[in-house]
Amino acid sequence: VPVSARILLVEDDTVIGSGLLAALRTNGYEVDWASSGLEAMASYESNAHDLVLLDLGLPDLDGVEVCRRMRALRSGATIVMLTARQDEIEVVVGLDAGADDYLTKPFRLAELLARVRAHVRRPASVGDTTAPERFVVGELDVDVSSRRVHLADRELELRPKEFALLTLLVKEAGRVVTRERIMSDVWDEHWFGSTKTLDTHVSALRRKLAMHGLRGPTITTLRGVGYRLELP
Ligand code: CA
């Protein structure tokens, strides 16, 4: 049974919603179920959820709008969009709105549970107490114990997976980190979803590293191989 994480399930379909609720609880998670966007916002405002499973088609607010509002309120939770719409553009809109991942309906329950597990899992390599807890590359300072990242004197606000990804790249600064290793260390060794989520997270990291116009380290893509954080 996984360490109990608190999940907000946002689903207006009562058959799907009650099925997911039962499955998640059976797997040891604490779950709040909201069946509308406004109900979801109210629950999100008063509870510290680790993960949000967010249906895109809701009766009141659109899932994308709910995602934006949640991000504006608190950036810490992982948001996974559940969508019945196959249109890729809408998927990208979902990710632009600040979602960490998405699943297209119909999905297998095993797949959903694997994703949830991967997202709420704390990467063992990052939290290892025998390893140094602080990494400095040029102006970039990653403090693992306090979970804070500074570039020059500016603090960067990173989502959980972005932080884990950056920590791994910084630990291996100047060396190639393969996609397989990133997926296994930062996500889960049994990940069987799309690895597009990795590219999305790298893009978000690049944006944040360049955000203040400071000369932060750059992340080089080695096509088909992986990524490398460049030393200054
Ligand atoms: Ca729906």
Side-chain angles (χ1 to χ4, degrees):
V1 175
V3 194
S4 80
R6 188 159 186 170
I7 297 173
L8 174 57
L9 170 65
V10 189
E11 173 61 74
D12 60 310
D13 184 308
T14 48
V15 175
I16 297 174
S18 54
L20 290 179
L21 179 73
L24 290 165
R25 284 188 175 158
T26 302
N27 280 269
Y29 300 106
E30 200 180 327
V31 190
D32 298 306
W33 177 17
S35 53
S36 75
L38 291 174
E39 207 183 300
M41 285 313 301
S43 180
Y44 188 79
E45 272 172 42
S46 47
N47 298 290
H49 295 109
D50 302 293
L51 184 120
V52 180
L53 294 172
L54 178 57
D55 183 29
L56 198 55
L58 295 168
D60 51 356
L61 298 170
D62 188 75
V64 172
E65 178 58 24
V66 174
C67 187
R68 285 206 183 95
R69 291 190 189 187
M70 283 179 173
R71 280 287 172 239
L73 203 65
R74 194 173 70 240
S75 66
T78 299
I79 301 178
V80 178
M81 292 280 219
L82 308 177
T83 171
R85 306 179 202 167
Q86 299 286 336
D87 193 329
E88 250 217 312
I89 292 163
E90 290 194 279
V91 166
V92 173
V93 167
L95 294 172
D96 279 351
D100 295 283
D101 196 7
Y102 61 89
L103 268 172
T104 308
K105 289 178 181 176
F107 47 78
R108 291 187 304 127
L109 185 59
E111 186 180 5
L112 175 89
L113 291 171
R115 296 281 186 101
V116 168
R117 219 168 24 244
H119 281 295
V120 300
R121 169 179 172 267
R122 315 231 184 284
S125 54
V126 174
D128 186 350
T129 49
T130 59
E133 299 216 307
R134 196 165 168 194
F135 302 92
V136 179
V137 174
E139 299 266 55
L140 182 71
D141 181 341
V142 179
D143 189 336
V144 179
S145 51
S146 67
R147 270 200 94 274
R148 301 181 88 166
V149 177
H150 287 85
L151 183 57
D153 57 350
R154 307 273 199 132
E155 181 162 6
L156 303 185
E157 204 174 299
L158 302 183
R159 292 194 222 138
K161 289 294 178 196
E162 291 169 358
F163 179 82
L165 174 60
L166 181 63
T167 302
L168 177 59
L169 291 173
V170 161
K171 266 171 141 173
E172 301 291 343
R175 290 191 289 264
V176 178
V177 185
T178 62
R179 294 181 68 89
E180 291 73 20
R181 174 155 177 223
I182 298 172
M183 290 317 294
S184 145
D185 282 16
V186 177
W187 277 268
D188 188 278
E189 61 269 37
H190 305 302
W191 179 268
F192 52 96
S194 162
T195 59
K196 190 176 181 296
T197 188
L198 168 56
D199 304 297
T200 310
H201 280 75
V202 170
S203 305
L205 262 185
R206 282 187 176 129
R207 267 201 308 278
K208 288 180 180 180
L209 287 172
M211 198 155 67
H212 300 296
L214 298 162
R215 275 192 299 147
T218 53
I219 300 169
T220 301
T221 305
L222 293 112
R223 273 181 79 96
V225 180
Y227 296 97
R228 181 177 61 220
L229 188 87
E230 301 297 346
L231 293 165

